Amino acid sequence: MHYAKSEPIESIKKHTDKVLENLKILRRKYGKKITKIITINEERFWELMEIICKYHDIGKVFSGFQNVIRKKLGKELIKTRFNNDIIKHEQISPMFIPTKKYNMTKEEKILVYQAIFYHHERDIVHIDRKLLNEIIEEDIKPNIENIEEELEIEIPELKTFYLGLVEGQSRIREGDKLYKEYCLMKGLLHRLDHCSSAGINIEDETNEEISTFVEEFIENKKSKLNELQTFTKENQNENLVIIGSTGIGKTESSLLWSNNDKTFFTLPLRISINAIYTRILEQIKYNHVGLLHSTAIDYLEETTEAENRVKELELEIKKMEQSKNLYQKITACTIDQIFPFVFKYKGYEKMYATLSYSKVIIDEIQAYSPEIVAIILKGLQMINNIGGKFMIMTATLPRIYKEKLEEMKIKIKYNEFIKDTKRHKIKILDKKINDDIEEIYEKSKNKKTLIIVNTINKAIEIYKELKEIGANNVNLLHSRFEIEDRNQKEKNIKEFSNKENESGIWITTQIVEASLDIDFDLLYTEMSTLDSLFQRLGRCYRSREYNGEEPNIKIYTKETSGIKYVYDEEIYHKSIKLLEEYDNKILEEKTKIELVDKLYSTELLEGTDFYDRFKNAFNILENIIDYNTDKKQAQSILRDIDNVNVIPKSIYDKNLDLFKKYENEQTKEEKFELRRQINKLFISISKSNRWKLQELITECPYIKNTYIIDTKYDNDIGLLLEKDEEYEIDTREF
């Protein structure tokens, strides 16, 4: 038997059969959508895909590869002078294809050869033809009859001419005639191969349409489709850009647009992604949804019922594996999970090909940094070019982003759906938010009171001041809690918001701004840029009409924390100037849209650092060199990472046995479970704080690139950084 892998033990034939079975599933479910943009005949495309699948791993018959597997299995090694280091199986596989039998043209050979040759994307050096001919004569030819019989294939006369169609300048790149076909063939092979190796189907074949479940959900609430929801349902085959007021049903609208298509639902924050996932699963009751972000498995465990923990967690881990392999009909995810393809890293075609027959929902695009928005918009252009669809839905949309989409000549349908509900009467105060601590405390005795500030340290400072004057029902939420504490706090704030006649205070940072369904009576907030500020307002009187005389929103502009670090200073000051006209007035929803549009117009942004960053990012993206980076590097750029993971010394000491057990564990499954438990103990801080606090920080001896910090951790307050101000940009938290 010729082996494909050792864990679990699987023959080349068995693996290939699974890949071919998955190819049938893919064609059956999405065949028409996949081939709609190609120039090759549809039937011929699938014939070539079958050839690719059938022959992609045949190079593993090479004795050098077989000996690697046999050694792992403790079996007798094949006698040969060749080893696996001199050439890789995917570099050999193309020569086995009987091109004459399949009547392949030169262009078809190029596509098939390259899809197979590069399906592992190793750093390929020039192949020594003399060596390859020696391998053919000494290692493969003597075994051909056995190979043909075992793998049930036909092998032609083996020659090395195919190398001229794959190496060096022959490689297909963006702009080449065969680029789209190549991306599809290579990318789909990646997915077929990975899913088959993981033992899962490539796609969920359900015919249950999410749109049907959404309509039933709306009907059960004794309601009907509103104007926005009707619009998205009627335009399911279009690219949409929609501005909609908070509480107008944007989530339901986007899912109606999704219909029965494969869909990726993206949001800026993990907390929002978790909430959308739970909402689809538990409220809309649609089961064909997956969760994909860096700590998704921890959230899934926290939401599993204790009495069924083992059984349910096993199912969720399986679901997580499916999500990683893009199996689910709907995937709720952060953008770093899908948009790295923009950087054309080695293997990017896997995601790009999947997006060719998918829909992508971008929620709250204004919450990202200008560099990341540039990446998103470039990605949407590429998705549009390969046949995918997208929907941008947001409460406010900077004008420069809409103009950029138009400049890229992407066909979109744009619409605004603005509620006329008067929800917010604002008061702008030229003083620090700390100056009104007494008032906040008094109001909180019979009101749900929300405080949003720009930095973690400011949030902790306000929390301590309120506790000092006797406030009891006061809670704190920010990103510097360990995962279990943070998940519990996220759950608590939603429960607090939903309880009638509940009163008290929650203090938080920007992590509540995007798509977190909470509703408070009063909001006290530090000033931020208008797009961020209006998101904050959406957490107060979310859908209710406000008729009070006193403002229900108070905005503080003096000694505001986080300016320069969290928010662009120029845009911050322009925001204050634009808002001043509405002091002590009702701020209508239409006005919010107009103000953000004006703030982010070319006229007001020209010459600002923000606009320069946006334009420079696009210039870089337009000159990306194919295959010049890897996926981790691309994800790192998208996450805008400037953080390191630390564990408070008190927590580290308490869990030292867990770290030691992890170091000594040999079983793959157990080691994975232990690492997952350990990951939940770490907290992310900025690299700048790492250097400021370096005398308090030491490297963790058990986990690379992680650190132990000798500062206090409190379950109510979080990780304290004593030496200097810490700031966070929660829209970058992935």
Side-chain angles (χ1 to χ4, degrees), residues 423-433 436 439 522-528 533-534 537 540 546 548-558 576 579-587:
R423 303 184 295 141
H424 304 126
K425 186 173 184 179
I426 69 169
K427 181 64 183 173
I428 305 171
L429 298 150
D430 184 24
K431 57 180 179 178
K432 296 191 299 179
I433 194 168
D436 277 349
E439 176 189 321
L522 297 171
L523 171 63
Y524 293 83
T525 178
E526 286 191 298
M527 182 65 188
S528 61
L533 182 70
F534 294 157
L537 268 57
C540 177
Y546 184 69
E549 290 297 320
E550 291 294 318
N552 61 343
I553 309 288
K554 290 198 172 181
I555 303 164
Y556 297 83
T557 62
K558 188 174 182 180
I576 295 174
L579 198 63
E580 285 174 345
E581 180 183 342
Y582 302 93
D583 185 30
N584 211 35
K585 296 178 182 177
I586 290 287
L587 190 61

Side-chain angles (χ1 to χ4, degrees), residues 528-550:
S528 61
T529 55
L530 289 182
D531 47 312
S532 169
L533 182 70
F534 294 157
Q535 288 297 107
R536 296 179 185 189
L537 268 57
R539 310 311 121 188
C540 177
Y541 270 72
R542 187 164 174 80
S543 298
R544 298 176 283 163
E545 185 98 20
Y546 184 69
N547 299 310
E549 290 297 320
E550 291 294 318

